[in-house]
Amino acid sequence: MKTILTKANFNLVEKVLKDSFGRQIRDLRISVTDRCNFRCFYCLPNGEPPLARKETILTFEEITYISEIFVSLGIEKIRLTGGEPILRKGLVDLVKRLSKLKPNLKDLALTTNGFDFPKHTANLKNAGLDRVTISLDSLKADKFQEITGVDKLNEVLAAIESAKENGFQPIKLNAVIIRDCNDDELIDFAHFARENELSFRFIEFMPLDSGHDWNRERVVSGKEIFRKINEVFPLKLKETTRGNETAWKYGFADGAKGEIGIIAPVTEMFCGQCSRIRLTADGQIRTCLFSTTEHNLRDVVRSGASRNEIIGFIEDVVFKKEPHHNINDAKFIQPDRTMSFIGG
Ligand code: SAM
């Protein structure tokens, strides 16, 4: 049954979004810009590809309208990402608009490289941002620059401090672990999580780099990450099921605060529980990080389609969600768009 939302029934969730495999979609990742000020070699080694034309980028009004429809269909979590979301002018205003979708929207989060974050931390918090994830691929200044292409380690460390000072909890850090690059820092990262009482999440390197230089030898498996940390800091699995979360979460067996998360999409595919869908900055729905087709929601919205027609379009797209990614198949085709455009 479809119900048109009015102010009177806004708190009613219309129905849930399910794909053809019965997976319920609860998590929407919105890329708010395709621009980025870092040049991580695993993502944008050759600089930015041609940027989307300004008029193709969704406005805040459009993002809010689309998000409200998604929330009415059972989306509980929205993560703003990019590119670098802090580069999108007026981000605080967008957070304010989206936070009006609570309480049906249960979680409003941001993924950022941290650069320039401290200028906005308090305003983002006051606007209703619930959680922040900051990327941190090395604790060594020279390695950090080698990976990201910028000399900004201190700025990122300052961003973590400012997230703490402004009461964000939990604060998650993301590191992509790459063989012969930063895999020698796993123990330092774990130590950092303990000392700072943070959740440090380690992600397997995925074939989403614009240089198409990914190769399997450089993937450090989740199992190896676990083993190396566990040898030094024994870990304790927090929950025996992961639900539809991406990470296995571990605490420290000695009771130290802090958390380790391991995200292993390459070696331990978790597509069977996937509850995610993505919206690119130019309004394309992607049903999988590795989709090779996109669905143009922007043009549907801009064509003057009714709310019910937009809902119908979204339902049809979700129904086509892929059963799983094909990274491990011989016929795997890497998507044209990099993580920076898709929105990680
Ligand atoms: N600019 C923000 C940031 O740096 O966090 C948000 C966008 S970034 C694309 C989101 C996440 O994707 C980051 O944590 C990044 O490390 C991860 N990422 C990018 N390319 C990746 C790849 N090839 N494999 C695994 N993770 C990747």
Side-chain angles (χ1 to χ4, degrees):
M1 183 195 66
K2 280 181 185 158
T3 311
I4 304 293
L5 283 197
T6 63
K7 277 203 174 136
N9 66 7
F10 179 76
N11 283 329
L12 295 175
V13 169
E14 285 176 64
K15 54 185 191 167
V16 295
L17 267 180
K18 278 200 176 166
D19 71 11
S20 63
F21 302 94
R23 292 172 297 191
Q24 189 179 336
I25 307 303
R26 302 169 194 268
D27 182 344
L28 174 66
R29 304 207 170 177
I30 304 177
S31 171
V32 294
T33 177
D34 53 344
R35 294 172 53 222
C36 193
N37 43 6
F38 281 24
R39 293 288 174 267
C40 303
F41 79 86
Y42 55 75
C43 185
L44 281 179
N46 308 316
E48 286 167 322
L51 297 173
R53 291 193 322 276
K54 191 161 182 253
E55 65 275 15
T56 66
I57 300 290
L58 295 180
T59 64
F60 286 172
E61 286 74 18
E62 288 168 335
I63 295 176
T64 310
Y65 179 50
I66 290 169
S67 299
E68 184 258 305
I69 291 176
F70 267 109
V71 170
S72 76
L73 295 171
I75 289 288
E76 295 171 350
K77 285 188 190 177
I78 292 181
R79 174 170 295 279
L80 301 176
T81 179
E84 175 43 45
I86 298 285
L87 292 179
R88 177 81 190 249
K89 221 168 143 205
L91 185 69
V92 170
D93 178 33
L94 178 64
V95 168
K96 238 181 241 165
R97 291 170 188 237
L98 295 180
S99 69
K100 295 205 176 104
L101 302 177
K102 296 177 188 178
N104 288 338
L105 175 65
K106 299 193 171 69
D107 189 22
L108 182 55
L110 175 78
T111 303
T112 172
N113 61 32
F115 179 51
D116 260 1
F117 180 72
K119 282 190 199 149
H120 307 281
T121 324
N123 289 339
L124 286 167
K125 180 82 183 157
N126 292 335
L129 187 70
D130 297 310
R131 289 189 304 120
V132 64
T133 300
I134 298 174
S135 295
L136 176 62
D137 292 316
S138 177
L139 291 164
K140 300 177 195 161
D142 53 345
K143 180 66 73 176
F144 184 92
Q145 184 164 6
E146 195 185 308
I147 295 175
T148 62
V150 293
D151 178 18
K152 298 288 178 205
L153 175 60
N154 286 336
E155 284 78 352
V156 176
L157 295 176
I160 297 168
E161 268 316 301
S162 93
K164 267 189 183 175
E165 283 161 12
N166 283 277
F168 282 103
Q169 178 64 26
I171 299 166
K172 292 184 182 167
L173 307 182
N174 272 354
V176 182
I177 302 300
I178 300 178
R179 176 131 5 249
D180 299 331
C181 172
N182 59 356
D183 51 337
D184 60 335
E185 288 191 64
L186 281 168
I187 303 306
D188 295 343
F189 288 145
H191 185 70
F192 191 84
R194 290 164 64 91
E195 291 292 296
N196 294 285
E197 303 181 8
L198 300 162
S199 174
F200 220 133
R201 294 143 50 97
F202 304 117
I203 311 173
E204 288 180 346
F205 181 24
M206 292 183 275
L208 288 169
D209 55 315
S210 66
H212 289 219
D213 289 327
W214 179 87
N215 71 61
R216 206 164 288 277
E217 286 73 56
R218 301 207 80 187
V219 176
V220 182
S221 72
K223 283 202 172 65
E224 180 175 337
I225 294 170
F226 172 83
R227 184 173 45 73
K228 287 195 166 146
I229 298 174
N230 190 53
E231 270 166 19
V232 179
F233 298 117
L235 297 173
K236 208 172 56 181
L237 190 61
K238 283 193 159 170
E239 283 161 31
T240 49
T241 64
R242 188 174 39 192
N244 42 33
E245 298 283 317
T246 53
W248 285 110
K249 294 181 195 153
Y250 300 89
F252 293 102
D254 65 3
K257 294 228 170 90
E259 181 184 84
I260 297 298
I262 297 183
I263 304 177
V266 180
T267 65
E268 293 171 60
M269 184 200 278
F270 40 79
C271 308
Q273 286 76 42
C274 183
S275 60
R276 283 166 290 287
I277 194 165
R278 291 178 159 81
L279 185 65
T280 65
D282 61 353
Q284 311 298 308
I285 299 181
R286 293 183 65 99
T287 47
C288 171
L289 262 182
F290 296 96
S291 295
T292 47
T293 45
E294 297 181 339
H295 306 272
N296 193 339
L297 181 59
R298 180 197 65 223
D299 281 359
V300 174
V301 170
R302 287 187 184 173
S303 72
S306 69
R307 182 186 176 85
N308 273 353
E309 284 164 343
I310 295 171
I311 289 176
F313 179 82
I314 292 172
E315 285 171 342
D316 288 350
V317 167
V318 164
F319 210 68
K320 294 182 197 141
K321 185 170 163 66
E322 298 79 345
H324 52 75
H325 68 61
N326 293 313
I327 304 176
N328 299 315
D329 292 0
K331 59 178 188 328
F332 171 68
I333 300 168
Q334 180 164 341
D336 290 338
R337 307 237 230 184
T338 69
M339 192 73 142
S340 77
F341 201 98
I342 300 168

